[in-house]
Amino acid sequence: MGRLTTLDEWLGWQESLHTQEIDLGLERISRVYNKLFPKGVPFKVITVAGTNGKGSTIAFIESIYQQTRFSVAKFTSPHILDYNERFCINGVLATNVQICTAFEKIEQVRGDTSLTYFEFSTLAALLIFSDQKVDVAVLEIGLGGRLDSVNVVDSDVAVITNIAIDHVDYLGDTRELIGHEKAGIMRANHPCVCSDANPPLSLQKHADNIGTLLEFVSEPYSGTLSLKGDHQQYNAALAALCVSKLNKQLEVGELLIYQGLEKAQLDGRFQIKKINNKQFIFDVAHNEAAVKALAKELNKDKQPTLAVFSALKDKNISLMIKAISPSIDQWLIAPLSVNRAADVTFLIDQFNLKDSIKAHSAIDLAITEAINQHTYQRIVVFGSFHVVADALTVFK
């Protein structure tokens, strides 16, 4: 490896370093983490897992702490437009210099341990947050829980949003199996809060086995939120419950909690933009459960709707389409610009013959048609973080 000086150089090198893009397990990252943090990280940790709602719940938690005197950081993935989005301290994204400095520290102790792109990101987040002397860091689980690299850190509070079928190749094909993987973020004698209305038995079983104090959200938040969707009321209630569990160490009054919940913002979650007198809705919904929530929100204001859609080939695309088809009048589809993308032929095969579909070779071309057409005033862009990213790039 030659001298790496820019963020793009570091990221390109990391992508080629490890043979597998997704390689679950804590053995590799633990070796490096223990060298960097032999006494553990010097801040309170909230770890957030779940199938859907992680990003929104983290945004609510972050916003609550931003109303206080406490310094708060968040680590999320994937990013939408810029890699720096993954690392945020008090509402400000980490700089390229901060990230590269963290990578250099990791490389100094890594030795012959091969790390994935995401493992580098996780360790970089912990280093940046430590250097910035934050009081609390909110860390998003990338995939699953038990074997995800974020789980190398012992959390003070574990958060589980909901359990739905997704990533079956890695987590199993039942809610009980997936629940067991998510439950892996729990720690003995520490609280875990969950908003799943019908939790799999594996959650409570694991909590009982290791002595975790598991508590469920009993009712949704009843106040006004900037984030749209009925499901966000449960994410907000979960965030408030989470913050309350750290009150002995980081006391937050009820008024500040309410202010934080109502001010929270997050790109890509029913995000509305007015473009050429049309309403564009950007949503990162990428599995059946999330698409159902998107459809429910669209149906509150029934009107002719054009969809710009694509997905990763390892998703159950036919179920995603079925969940929202009654709300969509015409589809513009295109492949994504990533390795795991479904090609156009595969996408077309997931639709019913009665669906009105037009294929493009790239998302930006589909977006251009959506802007220039005169039939539909509402355009919903969804199916993956990558769809929203490719679409928003058109408007940069």
Side-chain angles (χ1 to χ4, degrees), residues 44-250:
K44 297 299 178 184
V45 173
I46 297 169
T47 302
V48 182
T51 305
N52 296 306
K54 296 190 295 293
S56 299
T57 301
I58 290 170
F60 285 125
I61 296 171
E62 175 197 34
S63 183
I64 290 171
Y65 281 117
Q66 284 181 318
Q67 313 310 309
T68 74
R69 61 184 175 83
F70 302 117
S71 175
V72 59
K74 67 174 180 179
F75 170 58
T76 57
S77 66
H79 58 275
I80 295 181
L81 293 178
D82 297 305
Y83 179 81
N84 308 57
E85 295 168 24
R86 296 175 180 234
F87 319 94
C88 189
I89 305 98
N90 296 323
V92 179
L93 301 188
T95 65
N96 288 9
V97 171
Q98 288 174 316
I99 298 169
C100 290
T101 299
F103 287 157
E104 288 171 357
K105 291 180 181 178
I106 296 166
E107 189 58 20
Q108 287 170 6
V109 303
R110 182 178 65 84
D112 60 358
T113 300
S114 178
L115 296 174
T116 66
Y117 178 97
F118 187 73
E119 288 167 341
F120 264 100
S121 298
T122 301
L123 293 170
L126 301 177
L127 286 167
I128 293 168
F129 301 162
S130 178
D131 288 344
Q132 293 298 305
K133 295 180 170 55
V134 303
D135 294 303
V136 57
V138 194
L139 310 179
E140 180 180 4
I141 292 289
L143 196 160
R146 182 175 63 93
L147 298 176
D148 185 86
S149 66
V150 168
N151 202 34
V152 72
V153 186
D154 287 327
S155 64
D156 296 279
V157 182
V159 179
I160 300 176
T161 57
N162 69 344
I163 310 296
I165 303 298
D166 200 6
H167 300 295
V168 295
D169 292 344
Y170 299 98
L171 307 180
D173 58 1
T174 69
R175 291 182 74 245
E176 291 296 334
L177 289 172
I178 295 171
H180 174 73
E181 293 298 321
K182 308 289 187 189
I185 70 168
M186 297 177 184
R187 293 297 188 270
N189 302 314
H190 282 75
C192 175
V193 295
C194 178
S195 63
D196 196 298
N198 182 31
L201 297 176
S202 54
L203 283 186
Q204 189 65 62
K205 181 179 179 181
H206 188 70
D208 293 341
N209 285 343
I210 69 170
T212 291
L213 311 172
L214 178 59
E215 186 174 342
F216 294 91
V217 167
S218 57
E219 57 186 38
Y221 176 70
S222 58
T224 302
L225 300 175
S226 296
L227 292 178
K228 302 300 182 185
D230 294 342
H231 56 292
Q232 298 294 8
Q233 307 297 134
Y234 284 93
N235 292 333
L238 181 63
L241 181 59
C242 166
V243 169
S244 74
K245 297 303 177 183
L246 277 178
N247 249 358
K248 287 185 179 180
Q249 300 96 331
L250 306 172

Side-chain angles (χ1 to χ4, degrees), residues 20 24 59 77 111 230 253 257 267 276 283 301 348 394:
Q20 294 175 249
L24 296 177
S77 66
D230 294 342
I257 290 177
D267 290 344
N276 282 19
D283 200 292
D301 178 22
I348 291 173
V394 177

